[in-house]
Amino acid sequence: MKTIRLKDGKERSALRSHPWIFDSAIAKGGADSGETVRVEAHSGSFLGWASFSPSSKIRARIWSFDESQRIDADFFNAAIRRAIAARSRFDIQSNGLRLIHGESDGLPGLIVDCYDDTLVAQFLSSGTERWKDVIADALLAQTGLTKLFERSDSGVRGLEGLQPVTGWLRGEGPTAIILREHDWQLSLDIAEGHKTGFYLDQRDSRKKFADYTRRLQFQRVLNCYCYTGGFTVAALAGGAAHVTSIDSSGPAIERARANVALNGFEAERTTMMDADVNGSLRQFHKEGRTFDAIVLDPPKFAPSAAHADRAARAYKDINRLAFKILEPGGVLFTYSCSGGIGAELFHKIVASAGTDAHVDGYISERMQGAPDHPMTLTFPEGEYLKGLVVMKAADLVEKPSHATISNDSVL
């Protein structure tokens, strides 16, 4: 077994059960791509068993902190079994869920989503690439399913010195799938959609938006970066009179239109725009158009902390424009999925946007990814998705006729 030894004082994160070992922390030692290595402190004491990645800044990812553990097929079967068991305790109102969430499930670099009877996996690290066949067999054994599609086409693989790979890894079947989510359905294509085919992490946010729409009786809704229309369908399910949806991807807009029809909603209740969001927000403001509710769910502006400053300006700009065209008493659902933007910084960005727009607002809720995308105590980096629900302040807001004042309701 090959060994890597850390520089003096660089063992602290591993002692806290954090799985990442950066290249700058290593004093000596190395291995082949994906090979399991013994990680030792400068003193020679054991820290963990890790997969080695010669190309990545994250030079080693720890599989286990137990010195007696063997990294073999039994290890992966047990880890996958634990992850699936955890999901059975979450309240997931869908036949689509995330089964494996990388480091949060003790399997660094592995993402696995389940869409009805089909698994979709991303092998994003040298370690998961080396153990791919073993992991694939374990996934089928532990789920009882027979179809596994690979979507290892993320740019992250390039940092690991790996080429993109897509296609059926086990079994075969249609790549177009209809997903049940809460009280509606959504279509997707696992071969072409973003990530593994869909944004399962926003499942509960979509339900929350439908609930707000129903309770506050939103009439005019704007869904920015709508992708395939998940929030659009949620708004219509909540009773919105009209939803304007914007995305710069023509194919995504077409699928959003199809998802509206799939759920039996009239096309006349929607406007689909294949357009730039920032430019559209500016045009709406120029025209004096306003909305009762706005969703801002942009793509990742900051893939790492190094991009945080530039991303902060982009987030601030779209939020500032959204505040300007949001009706007094209206609600903004705003998100960041950038790992380089923490929850505290995102709050400051949105607050600064409000200040520049000369508005204030009540933060009624903080949002995060669905529970099957967990953040653990020892791996806070798992909290990549964060959001705020902001009610734009007004001197007087006419309450819906059915609303009541209670200890747990302000409208």
Side-chain angles (χ1 to χ4, degrees), residues 314-334:
Y315 283 119
K316 179 179 177 180
D317 198 35
I318 59 174
N319 279 276
R320 177 183 61 82
L321 291 167
F323 278 129
K324 284 180 174 292
I325 62 174
L326 185 65
E327 282 284 340
V331 177
L332 171 66
F333 275 59
T334 182

Side-chain angles (χ1 to χ4, degrees), residues 42-296:
H42 188 70
S43 64
S45 61
F46 174 84
L47 293 174
W49 301 112
S51 63
F52 191 78
S53 178
S55 301
S56 176
K57 288 288 186 181
I58 305 175
R59 193 55 52 92
R61 290 174 168 83
I62 296 178
W63 294 121
S64 173
F65 298 90
D66 179 359
E67 190 170 6
S68 65
Q69 178 73 62
R70 290 179 60 86
I71 307 304
D72 54 17
D74 288 342
F75 166 80
F76 289 103
N77 267 291
I80 291 169
R81 188 185 309 118
R82 285 194 302 271
I84 294 172
R87 270 59 180 179
S88 70
R89 301 182 66 83
F90 297 144
D91 181 18
I92 301 173
Q93 299 298 313
S94 176
N95 62 344
L97 71 156
R98 175 150 295 182
L99 289 182
I100 310 292
H101 192 54
E103 284 82 350
S104 295
D105 285 304
L107 293 167
L110 179 65
I111 298 296
V112 183
D113 289 335
C114 180
Y115 298 103
D116 194 21
D117 64 349
T118 303
L119 297 174
V120 184
Q122 292 182 310
F123 300 87
L124 303 176
S125 66
S126 297
T128 55
E129 180 70 18
R130 190 179 184 98
W131 288 96
K132 183 185 293 185
D133 285 338
V134 169
I135 291 170
D137 291 342
L139 285 167
L140 298 187
Q142 296 302 322
T143 61
L145 300 179
T146 60
K147 295 183 292 184
L148 171 59
F149 193 85
E150 182 175 2
R151 278 294 305 272
S152 300
D153 52 356
S154 168
V156 173
R157 277 177 64 93
L159 302 177
E160 297 281 310
L162 303 172
Q163 296 298 313
V165 180
T166 62
W168 288 104
L169 192 57
R170 296 287 188 275
E172 60 182 18
T175 59
I177 295 174
I178 302 295
L179 194 67
R180 173 188 56 78
E181 181 178 285
H182 301 294
D183 298 325
W184 50 81
Q185 299 180 90
L186 297 165
S187 66
L188 60 108
D189 193 315
I190 58 174
E192 299 177 357
H194 293 177
K195 300 174 74 173
T196 65
F198 194 62
Y199 290 100
L200 293 172
D201 51 4
Q202 288 285 37
R203 180 194 313 113
D204 292 351
S205 283
R206 288 187 283 267
K207 177 60 164 60
K208 182 72 68 174
F209 191 65
D211 293 343
Y212 268 74
T213 302
R214 185 176 297 109
R215 181 169 64 87
L216 298 179
Q217 301 177 10
F218 298 147
Q219 297 300 298
R220 303 179 311 282
V221 172
L222 175 62
N223 181 14
C224 299
Y225 309 97
C226 71
Y227 188 43
T228 57
F231 278 103
T232 300
V233 170
L236 293 169
H242 191 274
V243 184
T244 300
S245 304
I246 309 175
D247 200 279
S248 59
S249 167
I253 286 291
E254 287 306 310
R255 189 168 290 276
R257 186 176 285 112
N259 279 331
V260 169
L262 177 65
N263 289 275
F265 299 122
E266 302 87 350
E268 293 74 19
R269 292 175 63 188
T270 66
T271 297
M272 299 289 178
M273 297 176 58
D274 179 357
D276 172 69
V277 167
N278 196 289
S280 298
L281 291 174
R282 293 178 187 280
Q283 186 63 31
F284 291 155
H285 179 53
K286 182 179 179 180
E287 294 171 356
R289 290 184 61 182
T290 59
F291 298 88
D292 302 319
I294 299 174
V295 177
L296 291 178

